[in-house]
Every structure is written in C-alpha cells, then in structure tokens.
Amino acid sequence: MKRDQSAALFTANSRLIPGGTVSLNRKVEPLIAFARGKGASLWDVDGNRYTDYHAGFAPYLLGHADPEVEAAVMQSMQEGWTLAGSGTTPWEGRAADLLCQCVPNLEQVQFATTGSEATYHALRLSRAFTGKDHVAVMQGGYNGWHDEVACNVMTPLGAIGPRISRGEYPFIPMSAGMPEGVENRVHVLNFNDLEAVEWAFSTYPVACLISEPILQNIGIVKPKPGYWEGVRELCDRYGVVWVMDEVKTGFRHHIGGYQSLAGLKPDLSVFGKAIANGYPLGAIGGKAEIMELFNHPEPAKRVMIAGTYNGHPIVMAAAIATMEKLLRDGAEIYPRLERLGARMEAGLSAIFAERGVTATVARQGSAFCAYFMDHAPVDWHDIAENHDMAFDVKYRTALIEKGVYHFPLPTKQGSVSAAHTEDDIDQTLSATKVVLREIMA
Ligand SMILES: Cc1ncc(COP(=O)(O)O)c(C=O)c1O
C-alpha cells in the first residue's frame, strides 16, 4: 500500500506536536494517518480502505458513524442544545435514566468525559468512603493514564519477576513524572488469584480493588470460575470497595455490562467507550451510599466532581441514541455480534490448525484475540512466557497490508461491530490465509 500522504502528515504534525500525534500510544508501525470511518471500514489519507477490527481501542460497537447516533448528534446541534455550564439539562437526566435502565446494578450515576476521569473519581470515592488510602490493581490491567493506575500492563517479566500469590509485583510506572510515594499505596496483584487479593487486603489498608472483569488490554484474559465471587466476598470481609472497570466490557458484551452477564455486584462501576459509540464519555455509578459522597452536606467530606464539558450535549445526544438503540434492538444486535464473533473464532482456529500454527483464539462475544500459544491465558505471566509476540506483530502488520486493520502491537484485542457483515469476516479469513502463507514461507 502506498502511504505517502500518511508519511507527509506525520512529518508535518511532528513539527508542533511532540511525536506527531496527540496520543502517543497511537504511534505504531506502520505509521498511518486515518481520515474517515464508516460502518466497518476505515480510510487513510492516501485513500486506502481497511476493514477495521481496532475500532479506535473499542468504542465503535455499532460501527463507525452509526446513522442513528450521527442523526441524534446533528439534531442536538440544530435544536441548539447547549452547555451553559450552569444548572442541569434534560439530556443529562435522560442519559442517567437510560444508563440505570441498562445496568440494573447502578443506583446512581455521574458523567465525565473520559474513562480515565471515571476511574480517577472511583479511587477518590473509595478513599472518602472507607477512610483508607491504598489501591489494589491487576498486573496486565489498564484503568487509565493517571498516577496510581498507569502501571504494569505489558510489563517485561524481568521487571516484575516470577508469578507471585502471597505478595505483590513491583509497581512499574507507565509514565515519568509521578510523585514519589505512589508506589507505596498501589499494590499490583496477580490476576485470577484470590490468595493475592486476600494477602493484599490483610496486609494494607486497601480502599478499593479496581480491575477490568476480563483483562482486555492484553487481549482477552477471562476470570476463572468463582474468581469474582471470591473477590466480592473478600471485599465485604475487609471493607474494600470493589470497582469494576467496564470501560471496555460495558455495553460490548451485554447491555448491562459484564456484571449483568455474569451476575456480579460490584460497589462501583465505570463505563466509557461503547456507551456513546465513539463520542467522549466516561461514566461512574453504583451504590447510592457511595455515590452520594459527591453531594455530601459537609464540604470536608464531599468528593469533588467538576468538568467544563461534563454532560456535553453532543456527547449526551450520542449516548442517549446509543443506549436507546441498544435497549430497542439489543435482542437482535447482541446475538448477531455473538454470531459474527463465533464465525471469526471458528474461522481463525481452523486456518491456524490447517497451517500448523500453534494458536488459541480467546473470545468474549464480539471481542477476540489470537494468542500464538497452545492455551487461553490465565494471567500476564502466562502470556509473557508463552505467547509468540514477534509472530503476533508480523501477523498483524501483514494483515494491515491486505486491508485488515488490527492494532499492530501484540495481544491488542480485536473488536467486531454491529456494522460488520458475514462477508467482512469471510474476507478477513481469506486475507488471513494469504498472510499466513506469506509470513511462513
Ligand atoms: C479498561 C479501561 N479503563 C480505562 C480506560 C481509560 O479510558 P480513556 O482512554 O477514555 O481515558 C481504558 C482505555 O483504554 C480502558 O481500556
């Protein structure tokens, strides 16, 4: 594929933007400048078309530029919905109502602009509620870019050592510039390991445990049966707030989030991404006794929530349209996503077997990840020890050249959207066959 315009744009943008892009995790080879998305397709500035499985790190559940969501956004602008920055609005009430309808576990909700803001608020609420300071996170989990959660995702094993249950991994920050002492309050635990959770809760004054219910920033790492039920029990026993980070799982696997699918009851939950089908929204919700701290009558006990763009009308319009569509058509959309995901899983598994590639396709509904190892992983150590990372990158990069866009870093989750068709999946499978033949030659 020719990408002269992409290269030129990266060079031009690099003059004023450090690194040439506004989110530096997007700076991956091949360097591509994307211009347009519609349905299951992306186009770059050179006019190349890709069937998209990255979905901008997963928000586009309904596909790019879903007509109903776009119409609602346009209508909000035509009707002059505004953000006065004062008082409330009808649409934030409507969005809250819909979110609580979708996720029955939520008694109250609040809105911010990003998933990271929502997880930040979850930490503050938990500390204010428990009077404790420490936080438990998972090795291999991602919960946003702020201090205390921006750590230990795809950490080299050389930095964290062997798998450990009665103990924690060293805190490996993903950013320079964090204040000293963060590492003393954050405990990075082995996923799928109740002994590690109990060890942390009995050793430190832990305010909250925050985790994705399925680790979807290292592919698809599912909880073992009984793991989350055990975490619930330990949180109750030790007075720890359980924060379920549903920024990636929420609305993708079930309209009520993974918690509804699995019958789980976290204390707080955070949402983002698919809730507004690609418009910038973060949401936090859960038990009223915790959420009410945002409105505590005593200022010293009140948890601050503010944000010039919280409840922005365009974003609220997108969220309302997305949730209304999922409430109306979810009975058709979710089974369809499951069928498309299953078609991808079965097709990829057959192709890998046919070509003699050791691989396991892990999947939850429309989200999937091909691991080049002989079993589905249970935690980050399992992946780091067994997954062929170099082959994964080669595979993704070769697919991109055939017009199939997966994020070209190892273990990044693929997302099928409601706009994908069976034909899209079949064409992707055909491209996969060609790519494997080429890279194994
Ligand atoms: C599970 C999870 N939590 C939180 C976040 C942060 O969301 P945002 O990028 O909107 O700040 C992400 C982003 O990828 C995520 O995957």
Side-chain angles (χ1 to χ4, degrees):
M1 281 185 183
K2 269 174 65 79
R3 296 209 184 85
D4 301 346
Q5 306 287 335
S6 278
L9 200 59
F10 262 96
T11 306
N13 287 359
S14 298
R15 282 202 293 270
L16 294 175
I17 302 173
T21 170
V22 296
S23 199
L24 274 161
N25 59 339
R26 296 179 194 161
K27 194 170 184 187
V28 285
E29 296 285 347
L31 291 180
I32 307 179
F34 289 101
R36 200 162 75 81
K38 181 70 193 161
S41 297
L42 279 176
W43 286 265
D44 67 20
V45 291
D46 290 276
N48 301 306
R49 191 195 80 85
Y50 307 83
T51 303
D52 180 29
Y53 295 100
H54 176 48
F57 282 107
Y60 295 103
L61 180 72
L62 301 173
H64 292 273
D66 175 78
E68 283 183 50
V69 177
E70 299 307 286
V73 166
M74 296 296 279
Q75 193 186 356
S76 76
M77 290 193 281
Q78 279 156 0
E79 286 180 3
W81 289 17
T82 194
L83 187 66
S86 180
T88 190
T89 67
W91 37 92
E92 62 194 34
R94 175 75 182 138
D97 184 40
L98 286 166
L99 180 51
C100 291
Q101 275 184 54
C102 292
V103 190
N105 206 26
L106 307 180
E107 293 171 2
Q108 294 190 333
V109 294
Q110 271 287 12
F111 294 114
T113 306
T114 64
S116 296
E117 284 170 82
T119 58
Y120 191 92
H121 288 309
L123 263 54
R124 271 210 183 140
L125 277 178
S126 302
R127 286 177 165 142
F129 184 70
T130 61
K132 298 187 280 183
D133 228 11
H134 291 221
V135 174
V137 300
M138 295 297 157
Q139 174 62 50
Y142 180 67
N143 309 110
W145 47 254
H146 50 89
D147 299 347
E148 302 185 308
V149 294
C151 63
N152 297 67
V153 184
M154 297 178 67
T155 327
L157 293 192
I160 52 173
R163 183 183 283 112
I164 183 168
S165 287
R166 294 203 59 74
E168 62 192 303
Y169 296 118
F171 177 91
I172 309 293
M174 294 171 79
S175 174
M178 286 191 193
E180 233 179 271
V182 172
E183 69 282 4
N184 301 327
R185 296 192 296 269
V186 179
H187 309 293
V188 184
L189 307 180
N190 195 40
F191 183 66
N192 258 335
D193 192 336
L194 286 174
E195 202 181 341
V197 174
E198 178 147 29
W199 175 85
F201 288 3
S202 58
T203 307
Y204 298 108
V206 177
C208 71
L209 177 147
I210 182 167
S211 175
E212 305 165 74
I214 297 175
L215 299 186
Q216 285 190 205
N217 281 277
I218 52 170
I220 301 284
V221 181
K222 294 189 184 184
K224 288 181 184 164
Y227 175 64
W228 288 124
E229 289 78 0
V231 166
R232 172 71 279 172
E233 199 269 312
L234 287 169
C235 284
D236 289 342
R237 183 148 27 113
Y238 287 91
V240 173
V241 175
W242 176 19
V243 182
M244 187 176 281
D245 181 343
E246 294 242 39
V247 169
K248 266 197 157 175
T249 53
F251 295 89
R252 179 157 289 280
H253 304 323
H254 188 283
I255 193 167
Y258 182 79
Q259 56 196 273
S260 296
L261 194 64
L264 299 169
K265 291 200 177 302
D267 300 304
L268 291 176
S269 306
V270 289
F271 296 86
K273 302 208 190 240
I275 187 176
N277 201 53
Y279 284 83
L281 179 61
I284 178 165
K287 287 185 174 161
E289 62 178 329
I290 307 178
M291 293 295 293
E292 275 292 347
L293 289 172
F294 281 133
N295 189 39
H296 199 286
E298 292 173 52
K301 294 187 177 164
R302 195 178 305 148
V303 174
M304 178 177 177
I305 185 158
T308 303
Y309 298 114
N310 288 2
H312 191 283
I314 286 179
V315 178
M316 291 290 102
I320 291 167
T322 304
M323 288 189 277
E324 282 179 343
K325 182 165 180 162
L326 291 174
L327 281 166
R328 190 192 64 218
D329 298 342
E332 189 268 319
I333 290 174
Y334 287 104
R336 184 178 137 67
L337 287 168
E338 168 62 29
R339 280 196 304 279
L340 292 171
R343 192 177 185 94
M344 180 69 91
E345 178 188 348
L348 287 177
S349 303
I351 293 166
F352 292 138
E354 210 174 277
R355 300 269 170 236
V357 178
T358 303
T360 306
V361 181
R363 180 178 72 87
Q364 177 72 46
S366 59
F368 65 98
C369 182
Y371 292 101
F372 297 105
M373 54 195 273
D374 65 7
H375 59 278
V378 295
D379 57 23
W380 170 243
H381 279 72
D382 199 359
I383 296 172
E385 282 163 5
N386 297 306
H387 175 56
D388 188 339
M389 306 267 181
F391 187 85
D392 193 356
V393 173
K394 228 192 265 180
Y395 163 77
R396 287 163 185 266
T397 312
L399 277 171
I400 291 172
E401 297 311 319
K402 298 279 182 263
V404 175
Y405 196 80
H406 278 283
F407 198 66
L409 282 190
T411 78
K412 290 297 140 193
Q413 171 215 311
S415 303
V416 175
S417 80
H420 284 77
T421 61
E422 294 186 347
D423 262 6
D424 289 322
I425 307 291
D426 293 347
Q427 281 171 25
T428 298
L429 294 172
S430 300
T432 306
K433 280 188 194 164
V434 177
V435 154
L436 287 180
R437 203 176 303 130
E438 283 174 10
I439 58 180
M440 291 174 77

